[in-house]
């Protein structure tokens, strides 16, 4: 259907008073809802469930954000936290060495003195939300140039956060919602003394590996227990979730509270097409390049496999997720739906009769289309130099922070690059001075590969490439950079950070020199992006959001922003390729899957499982699915029942859910969780984790 | 150094009478030499070796080309042939099924009646070479437009080949040498009844897998024995190579006769830079995309792993080879060397004083630079549509042959697309009607992935993409195409081929329809490439070749063309990263490597090897290296000693040899071969292959 025809169909429907905008109505159980604007009415009407303030407060304050990209929840009065193994993997990897591979072998601290301290893990628990939209908008006058508007906005955000931090001592972040439609101030209690209590073997946590990732049926004990400490003692959180010994049943209403990372459901069609044709093909190429490199690196030997294990999983997981996104945008049905949504909004605004508002919406859409075109001209260089795709090295990113901190910290808070604003410094330094090991061999391989990728994208004779390579091949250049760098030592980082601009100027560290060599170019690209793309789009999106609010109110949740959200859905299976998949899998299914895969990697069950097969009740539920709306970042989120008990730990979504970046459907798309009953059974029967089981069951 | 400065340095050197053009002199043992223009003088001077006509004729007529991309040699009077396991892999895979996996498990026919017939393997043995340069050049008048010149050249080549085929009944191919500098007519004896005699387990043939591919030290029994049959009886070749029971020793002069596929050493700098900046980054992206797809496909289950095994190896091998090429072109030292070569040639021609010739060379270089720019504008579409990168499916390529044969065969021989010339039809049909199995599940996955790759490269809204996808997602479109296609059945292919244009028009086969849908576009792209790039460059290269011949004669071998060449070198180890690598490895080394890799895949030795470790002499030489000049296509080539005995079977080159596409060095670059003594020991001690050993040792 052509655009014009579609518009008139929609407008006709409107004029005839037919059901209002089916294409922009809230779809079934869609939504990653704000905790301060939850879907009480929908829950009441459809599920006869009263979302009480008490229920909500407990869920909120028992939910935990893992700042390395995941979610979790308190499950005891003594600060015990459950999340996914693949969220704990970062810490497990950092604590491992040639002789102890906790990531691969798992770990259990049978007593508290054996709990292992994570070197750089920060957890956040949301305490309050405050709407600061009016203050932000007030500070950004409508007649400013985009560059001045960007600066004014940056200044007011930094000020709000700094004031809040000073007043409350809580981590304070202003979150941009609805792509610029609203601004909310989130305040968090922070935990930085976090210790590992229990992790299973990776072979069962990630049973099926990349092959079964984003698939269902699944058989994964993808859990990891941590404990938060305060002043050297187990923390006593305000709230925690009771562990349901029975878990969910088919048809149950369940909730997921966690931190979905990012979605693009409210992006305009122009932005989605840009994403499809410019951004994602490039991402796919980059991810495949990294995956090929890491796979080869792991092949060098068992120790290299250990070093690169977590990176390889991260990259392969992204490759699969991004492929799914890309396939979604190549599906004409999805593009049609997004087109319909946009045209319906235009038609709905038009039908209200305010020509100025309709014009403003049209202009906003056009501005975004323009901004995307502008971006296309320098996006690759921006990605490579400023986002750092050309420098896939931890040492590079450490060096860049040191160089930029030296330049930014002397400036007033309002004028700094956003990541160096006063309120963010503590968390930044906590990561920057981490004693976690850095492996030069891996750094060298990754950096050589990404310098190669730089040349692949810009061409070997491009001035920026020539400048960065310094008349050397990528591998020679990477070797020179990593071999000469001293920043693997946190003490050296502290020394340079303390020395400020002088220390940077005096430094002969080759990576610091490389950062300085590219920093002017990188900053210029960033400024161009900030002023010509981000600010223009933010203003346009604010306009679109206003139009949407007028038509629909906040009946559509904002896109995900790695902040706490509430989702809900029903525990149920689905039909695919003529096959009915059950709502839950069992322990027995894991053994069957291993048989069917001829016990090849990654379908090799841990010895503990194979040996104890006879002791297990093979009908014990293992993993289950529900229709609740989740995305990456929700990993480790608690799944709650009506009573607010923990019935599962979310760890994945199926392949039908990979298009959730753009559209939610509940026909086949599901999130996947570990069943609370399965966890208890495994801990008891296989891991002999008495103290842990006791703590979970005697609350 | 700038161009101008460099030129004057070179010219000064010339005028002062210093050593003539060091940068274009023959480097040490460089060269894949024509059998009709062998380096007798160099061998005599440097190695005191008389390359007799007898030696050369035996080597030539005992050497075998595997038309699926490799080399081999006769090693008995009864038509026994040795090549690599990875060259035999194509046939081993095609003969395998769910129940019998010859590729993985190996095979031994202890008696002749058990030898397994390959469905579509054609072998060629070179009988004679004739220089037809004068006739080709005579037919292409200098005043023709490029399009007319291209047609005239195509016509004369087809005529020469057809005449030769009619006269001699031998397969007759005109080979373009020196990028258009010379044309030689090659005549081959063909074998199409070829049977498998012996293959080891893939685990030892490809021990170390992708990790150790293009590396050294190596421990690979990368061999496979075939037997050629004529009229249902073992063939009796005119010549065969005696198997050396001792193999080579350190310092030995050795020869390699085989079929190097392609090199780019005589390409102009402009062409190399185009290759670096336009062609190879795209190839890398494509190969990585295919590798990721095939890896995931293999993960689906043991049977899927079996189906995709050979494709996965092919793609991973290419990815590594192309990466090595690309790294070579990113090495400033190599670009400097190629620049020097070009400038030295210009300077050498200039110093001879004929201004017209100097101008002609300058123009030729400029024309190639122009043609590469022209190509850049449509290269991606050419690759995707005409080369078929968008259609990674065997069925697509079968359908395309059927569609094009129907259009081309009614035309006069002189006017057909080159692959349908009269003299090529028999070999083409032999492949086209092969009964080898085609797996729909794999076809679907590959096609969906390549349709996705098409969109990645051109954008989802590109008219060609929209046309090909037909309003469907890539996976839906691929499923529709493969599910509806009947061409997996060779009888259906024969039926359509026999039916000509009418059968094509009437066909409702969705893949035939797809081919027809894109064929006009694809042919137009091809014509543009033929006329505006290939013909222009061929004429320019002919001019460059004339200049080079005047300065150096044929002291530089032509680039590889998958035709028989003679290379030579010395058996010797090398030093890398401060470590001296020996000229040969041993059986014992294989066990040590497996231990060091903790017996992880692909370092799991076959049970047969582990069980019989005590029976083996662990000091037996296994693989060895020499400086002889080889490249892909040389896989399976015999390595000969001064006496013309087979002392090894070439199977790889090390990573330092990956830049051999552009430059040869003998400092670290080596080809790698299986040691003839090691082969005998393995066959005797591990495989109990008595008849085979007897045939090899009693000649």
């Amino acid at each position: 259907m052509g655009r014009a025809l579609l518009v008139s169909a929609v407008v006709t429907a409107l004029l005839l008073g037919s059901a209002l905008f089916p294409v922009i109505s809230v779809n079934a159980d869609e939504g990653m809802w704000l905790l301060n604007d939850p879907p009480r009415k929908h829950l009441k009407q459809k599920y006869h469930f009263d979302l009480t303030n008490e229920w909500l407060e407990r869920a909120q304050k028992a939910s935990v954000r893992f700042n390395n990209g995941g979610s979790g929840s308190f499950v005891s009065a003594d600060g015990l936290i459950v999340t996914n193994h693949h969220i704990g993997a970062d810490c497990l990897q950092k604590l491992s060495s040639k002789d102890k591979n906790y990531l691969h072998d798992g770990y259990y601290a049978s007593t508290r003195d054996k709990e292992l301290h994570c070197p750089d893990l920060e957890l956040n628990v949301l305490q309050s939300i405050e709407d600061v939209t009016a203050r932000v908008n007030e500070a950004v006058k409508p007649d400013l140039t985009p560059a001045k508007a960007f600066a004014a906005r940056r200044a007011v955000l930094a000020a709000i956060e700094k004031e809040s931090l000073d007043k409350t001592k809580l981590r304070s972040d202003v979150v941009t919602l609805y792509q610029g439609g609203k601004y909310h101030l989130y305040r968090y209690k922070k935990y930085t003394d976090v210790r590992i209590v229990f992790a299973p073997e990776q072979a069962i946590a990630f049973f099926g590996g990349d092959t079964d990732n984003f698939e269902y049926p699944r058989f994964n004990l993808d859990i990891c227990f941590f404990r938060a400490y305060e002043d050297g003692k187990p923390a006593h959180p305000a709230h925690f979730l009771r562990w349901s010994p029975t878990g969910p049943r088919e048809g149950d209403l369940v909730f997921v509270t966690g931190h979905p990372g990012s979605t693009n459901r409210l992006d305009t069609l122009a932005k989605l097409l840009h994403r499809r044709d410019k951004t994602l093909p490039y991402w796919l190429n980059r991810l495949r390049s990294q995956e090929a490199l890491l796979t080869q690196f792991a092949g060098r030997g068992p120790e290299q496999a250990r070093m690169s294990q977590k990176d390889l999983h991260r990259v392969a997981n992204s490759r699969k997720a991004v492929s799914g996104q890309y396939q979604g945008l190549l599906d004409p049905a999805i593009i049609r739906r997004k087109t319909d949504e946009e045209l319906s909004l235009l038609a709905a605004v038009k039908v209200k009769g305010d020509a100025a508002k309709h014009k403003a919406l049209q202009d906003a859409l056009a501005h975004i289309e323009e901004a995307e075109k502008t971006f296309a001209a320098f996006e690759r260089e921006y990605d490579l130099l400023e986002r750092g795709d050309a420098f896939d090295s931890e040492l590079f990113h450490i060096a860049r922070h040191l160089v930029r901190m030296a330049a930014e910290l002397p400036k007033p808070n309002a004028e700094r690059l956003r990541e160096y604003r006063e309120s963010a410094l503590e968390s930044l330094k906590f990561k920057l001075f981490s004693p976690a090991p850095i492996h030069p061999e891996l750094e060298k391989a990754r950096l050589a590969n990404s310098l190669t990728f730089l040349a692949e994208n810009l061409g070997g004779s491009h001035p920026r490439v020539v400048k960065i390579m310094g008349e050397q091949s990528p591998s020679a250049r990477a070797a020179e950079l990593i071999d000469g760098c001293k920043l693997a030592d946190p003490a050296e980082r502290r020394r340079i950070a303390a020395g400020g601009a002088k220390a940077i100027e005096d430094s002969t560290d080759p990576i610091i020199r490389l950062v300085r060599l590219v920093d002017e170019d990188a900053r210029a690209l960033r400024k161009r992006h900030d002023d010509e793309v981000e600010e223009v789009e933010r203003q346009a999106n604010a306009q679109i959001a206003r139009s949407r609010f007028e038509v629909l109110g906040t009946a559509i949740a904002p896109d995900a922003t790695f902040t706490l959200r509430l989702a809900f859905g029903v525990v149920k299976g689905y039909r695919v390729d003529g096959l009915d998949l059950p709502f839950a899998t069992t322990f027995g299914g894991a053994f069957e899957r291993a048989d069917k895969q001829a016990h090849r990697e990654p379908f090799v069950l841990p010895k503990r499982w194979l040996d104890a097969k006879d002791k297990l009740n093979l009908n014990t539920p293992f993993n289950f699915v529900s229709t609740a709306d989740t995305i990456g970042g929700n990993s480790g989120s608690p799944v709650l029942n009506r009573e607010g008990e923990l019935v599962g730990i979310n760890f994945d979504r199926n392949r039908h859910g990979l298009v959730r970046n753009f559209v939610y459907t509940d026909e086949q798309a599901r999130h996947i969780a570990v069943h609370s009953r399965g966890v208890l059974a495994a801990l008891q029967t296989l891991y002999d984790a008495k103290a842990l089981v006791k703590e979970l069951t005697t609350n």
Side-chain angles (χ1 to χ4, degrees), chain A:
Chain A
M1 198 183 301
R3 268 181 101 109
L5 188 61
L6 183 74
V7 173
S8 43
V10 171
V11 174
T12 306
L14 287 169
L15 297 175
L16 293 172
S18 63
L20 199 65
F21 322 128
V23 292
I24 45 174
S25 72
V26 178
N27 186 325
D29 294 337
E30 174 166 5
M32 300 163 180
W33 297 97
L34 296 173
L35 274 280
N36 55 342
D37 189 9
R40 291 187 206 267
K41 210 170 130 191
H42 182 94
L43 286 168
K44 182 75 185 167
Q45 283 177 352
K46 184 166 174 189
Y47 295 106
H48 314 292
F49 177 73
D50 268 320
L51 186 63
T52 64
N53 288 341
E54 293 69 32
W55 194 103
L56 209 55
E57 191 185 347
R58 185 174 57 224
Q60 173 186 318
K61 293 193 176 164
S63 294
V64 175
R65 180 168 76 175
F66 277 68
N67 272 7
N68 59 345
S71 303
S73 57
F74 283 116
V75 287
S76 91
D78 291 340
L80 189 68
I81 293 166
V82 70
T83 183
N84 291 149
H85 181 272
H86 76 269
I87 297 302
D90 184 57
C91 178
L92 291 164
Q93 169 102 25
K94 284 171 175 166
L95 291 173
S96 296
S97 64
K98 202 174 170 189
D99 305 316
K100 281 182 222 159
N101 190 344
Y102 298 123
L103 180 57
H104 182 271
D105 302 337
Y107 184 76
Y108 175 48
S110 54
T111 53
R112 292 199 180 160
D113 57 306
K114 292 185 188 145
E115 296 175 356
L116 302 172
H117 176 77
C118 299
D120 54 14
L121 180 57
E122 177 183 320
L123 306 183
N124 295 155
V125 178
L126 179 62
Q127 302 298 308
S128 68
I129 304 176
E130 186 183 330
D131 190 334
V132 294
T133 311
R135 182 168 166 197
V136 173
N137 289 343
E138 170 62 23
V140 185
K141 304 295 177 207
D143 53 345
L144 295 177
T145 63
K148 292 215 161 123
F150 183 87
R153 180 173 286 106
R154 181 168 68 182
V156 69
L157 296 179
I160 292 169
E161 290 163 332
K162 178 67 166 56
E163 282 167 26
S164 170
L165 173 65
D166 289 348
K167 201 176 79 183
T168 65
K169 308 292 172 216
L170 294 172
R171 173 175 172 145
S172 300
D173 302 338
V174 177
V175 179
T176 303
L177 299 167
Y178 295 104
Q179 273 86 331
K182 287 183 187 286
Y183 296 89
H184 288 182
L185 172 62
Y186 279 55
R187 295 194 183 92
Y188 299 99
K189 182 166 172 55
K190 272 176 29 174
Y191 296 92
T192 52
D193 182 354
V194 185
R195 307 187 192 175
I196 290 175
V197 178
F198 173 85
E201 305 89 339
Q202 191 173 32
I204 189 65
F206 195 43
F207 181 71
D210 183 58
T211 300
D212 277 2
N213 196 16
F214 297 116
E215 295 290 343
Y216 184 77
R218 287 287 278 287
F219 312 93
N220 291 39
L221 191 64
D222 194 355
I223 56 158
C224 189
F225 287 95
F226 287 87
R227 192 182 305 283
Y229 279 73
E230 284 185 297
D231 304 322
K233 297 207 170 65
H236 298 296
H239 290 280
F240 66 90
L241 305 178
R242 289 181 195 283
W243 195 278
S244 163
T246 54
R249 270 158 310 195
E250 189 158 19
D252 276 3
L253 170 70
V254 290
F255 302 85
V256 177
T257 56
H259 304 80
S262 82
T263 53
N264 314 80
R265 293 187 199 163
L266 302 182
D267 278 355
T268 67
L269 188 62
K271 201 162 167 76
L272 289 178
L273 294 180
H274 180 103
R275 190 175 181 83
R276 182 191 70 184
D277 294 337
K278 308 287 179 197
T279 308
L280 295 186
Y282 165 81
W283 283 10
L284 282 170
N285 189 12
R286 177 173 57 80
L287 289 165
R288 290 178 196 137
S289 159
Q290 292 178 335
E291 188 174 5
L293 181 273
L294 290 167
T295 304
Q296 289 164 78
F297 185 86
R300 290 185 190 174
E303 174 59 4
Q304 285 88 347
R306 187 191 69 74
M307 284 182 216
S308 56
Q309 199 164 8
K310 219 213 74 203
D311 287 326
L312 185 53
H313 171 250
R314 171 179 51 79
V315 167
N317 184 63
S318 296
R319 184 251 309 140
K320 212 161 180 177
V322 170
S323 294
Q325 267 192 52
Y326 185 58
Q327 291 297 333
L329 290 179
L330 287 182
D331 183 347
I334 287 183
I335 294 296
R336 266 197 301 275
R337 177 165 159 183
K338 303 310 288 190
T339 310
D340 289 357
E341 284 178 9
E342 196 158 303
L343 294 174
S344 296
L345 181 63
L346 271 163
V349 170
K350 184 161 194 174
V351 104
K352 289 194 164 218
D354 186 333
K357 282 187 177 167
H358 184 250
K359 172 78 167 49
L361 177 57
Q362 282 181 316
D363 288 350
L365 291 168
H367 289 156
I368 289 175
E369 193 163 354
E370 266 314 301
E372 291 295 305
K373 272 188 202 146
T374 302
F375 191 29
F378 67 97
E379 185 174 8
R380 272 313 77 74
E381 292 184 50
Y382 172 81
D383 291 339
L384 290 160
L385 272 71
E386 172 59 20
R387 214 178 62 161
D389 291 354
F391 314 106
D392 184 18
S393 145
E394 292 183 48
L395 291 171
F396 178 89
H397 291 282
I398 287 167
R400 169 173 278 185
H401 275 311
L402 293 172
V403 169
R404 289 191 169 175
M405 276 166 68
E408 296 292 311
L409 296 194
K411 297 180 190 171
N413 189 30
E415 292 170 22
R416 298 179 194 165
L417 293 178
R418 184 156 160 74
E419 61 269 33
Y420 304 107
R421 66 196 189 276
E422 210 51 50
S423 63
L425 283 181
E426 197 178 88
S427 293
L428 176 67
K429 287 180 180 167
F430 180 62
K431 295 288 288 182
L432 186 59
F433 301 139
S434 164
I438 291 176
H439 307 293
E441 185 184 354
L442 179 58
E443 285 279 293
K444 234 180 270 184
R446 283 170 54 182
L447 185 54
N449 191 59
S450 61
L451 289 173
T452 302
F453 187 72
L454 168 71
E456 284 175 38
N457 275 276
L458 300 187
S461 304
H462 191 287
R464 294 199 200 275
V465 178
V466 172
K467 186 172 165 184
I468 289 166
M469 298 292 192
E471 281 290 295
Q472 292 190 75
S473 69
S475 55
R477 180 69 168 135
E480 171 191 78
L481 287 164
I482 302 297
D483 287 339
C485 181
K486 304 265 180 295
L487 300 173
D489 177 5
E492 174 68 3
R493 295 175 216 160
R494 285 183 188 277
R495 188 188 71 76
I496 292 190
K502 173 95 174 65
I504 295 296
E505 255 167 57
D506 292 348
S507 172
T508 58
D509 194 291
I511 303 197
I512 288 186
R513 290 194 167 199
L514 172 65
V515 170
R516 294 180 67 196
L517 185 72
V518 297
D519 209 41
E520 194 181 327
D521 291 344
R523 281 174 177 262
L525 288 161
R526 175 160 172 175
K527 180 152 176 52
R528 212 174 148 194
H529 176 261
D530 288 347
D531 296 349
E532 300 176 29
V533 184
E534 189 174 320
E535 180 60 27
V536 171
E537 295 198 346
R538 188 177 285 222
Q539 293 186 17
N541 277 314
Q543 177 57 49
I544 294 167
R546 280 192 293 274
S547 299
R548 204 181 276 118
F549 295 152
E550 283 183 27
V551 176
L552 288 161
T554 52
I556 289 182
D559 270 312
T561 48
F562 198 43
T563 50
L564 191 64
R565 302 294 179 91
L566 173 74
F568 59 91
V570 176
V571 175
K572 64 175 176 184
Y574 58 101
R575 194 173 175 78
V576 67
D577 299 335
L579 211 72
D580 282 314
L581 298 181
F583 82 98
T585 63
T586 62
F587 283 165
F591 291 94
E592 285 162 29
R593 180 100 179 111
D595 286 344
K596 204 164 175 186
Q597 281 280 3
H599 298 263
R600 305 181 304 157
E601 287 291 349
F603 296 94
V604 181
L605 285 165
K607 189 169 178 305
R608 181 198 307 274
W609 283 66
L610 293 170
D611 290 351
K613 188 178 173 185
D614 292 346
K615 283 194 271 171
L616 282 172
N617 174 355
L618 295 177
N619 295 321
T620 310
F622 199 176
N623 293 170
F624 70 95
V625 291
S626 101
T627 61
D629 193 1
T630 64
I631 201 130
N634 268 120
S635 285
S637 297
V639 184
L640 293 78
N641 61 14
R642 286 172 183 256
E643 287 70 42
E645 295 171 328
L646 182 145
V647 294
I649 302 101
N650 172 68
F651 71 96
D652 205 2
R653 58 197 189 285
N654 63 3
R655 73 187 131 98
H656 308 282
L658 286 174
V659 296
R660 279 193 182 167
N661 284 71
F662 316 111
V663 294
Y664 169 90
T665 59
D666 62 6
E667 209 184 309
Q668 297 180 303
R670 296 290 182 275
H671 79 94
I672 314 173
V674 191
H675 198 283
S676 65
R677 188 174 138 204
V679 172
L680 285 184
L683 291 176
Q684 278 164 333
T685 313
L686 297 169
Y687 295 90
D688 196 25
K690 289 194 186 68
L692 179 55
V693 169
K694 191 173 170 209
E695 186 169 356
L696 289 174
T697 52
T698 55
N699 275 313

